[in-house]
Amino acid sequence: MKHILAASLAALAALALTGCTAAEPPGSAAVQQWLDEQDRASAGSGAFMSGLASTSETADAATKEGRQEGVRIEMDESERISTIEFTCFGAETMDARVSVESSSSAEASVHKVRCDAGPETIDTQDAPVSAVTINGVNADGFGAWAASFR
């Protein structure tokens, strides 16, 4: 299984340069610290992925174009996944947009997650999976997310 950590300095710089909004976004150092903590906490617990939040507008535009915005992991061979744990930081809520693919089908779902409530467990019904794509989305497009699955 490929492990992917998607948190780039360029994206963090773009996050820090976003325009004024009603709520103040967390600083890039706080976001990077949170991402690092999530990475350390996930060590040995299965696949881990993370990223910066997308705006609803960006994610919706990608969907209209027929593509899924987010971080993708493809398995060399299908693996059974029972749950995905999604957590977020820097926003009040975030939509966890999850796409789970098998060799014969794909299922997409959206789960509203309160970022201060701890990890949200998403049941994948122990499905045989060949690829997973996850994105954290909120209207303001700030904050970060992390997900792990086993």
Side-chain angles (χ1 to χ4, degrees), residues 61-74:
T63 301
K64 286 179 184 174
E65 293 173 6
R67 59 185 174 83
Q68 172 92 22
E69 184 91 359
V71 178
R72 180 179 175 87
I73 292 180
E74 293 183 11

Side-chain angles (χ1 to χ4, degrees), residues 16-132:
L17 296 174
T18 58
C20 296
T21 61
E24 281 297 312
S28 60
V31 170
Q32 186 61 55
Q33 179 180 354
W34 184 85
L35 286 167
D36 292 344
E37 289 169 3
Q38 300 309 303
D39 185 36
R40 281 191 297 278
S42 72
S45 66
F48 173 77
M49 58 176 72
S50 64
L52 299 174
S54 296
T55 64
S56 302
E57 184 177 289
T58 301
D60 291 343
T63 301
K64 286 179 184 174
E65 293 173 6
R67 59 185 174 83
Q68 172 92 22
E69 184 91 359
V71 178
R72 180 179 175 87
I73 292 180
E74 293 183 11
M75 284 61 147
D76 294 331
E77 296 180 23
S78 288
E79 296 186 29
R80 293 191 102 53
I81 295 176
S82 58
T83 60
I84 296 172
E85 288 192 355
F86 182 94
T87 187
C88 51
F89 170 78
E92 185 176 332
T93 62
M94 200 172 286
D95 288 342
R97 295 189 181 189
V98 178
S99 176
V100 179
E101 300 172 34
S102 71
S103 59
S104 60
S105 66
E107 184 176 321
S109 58
V110 177
H111 308 267
K112 185 164 282 302
V113 177
R114 288 198 50 82
C115 293
D116 62 358
E120 172 84 12
T121 300
I122 300 166
D123 183 9
T124 58
Q125 302 175 0
D126 201 32
V129 173
S130 58
V132 175

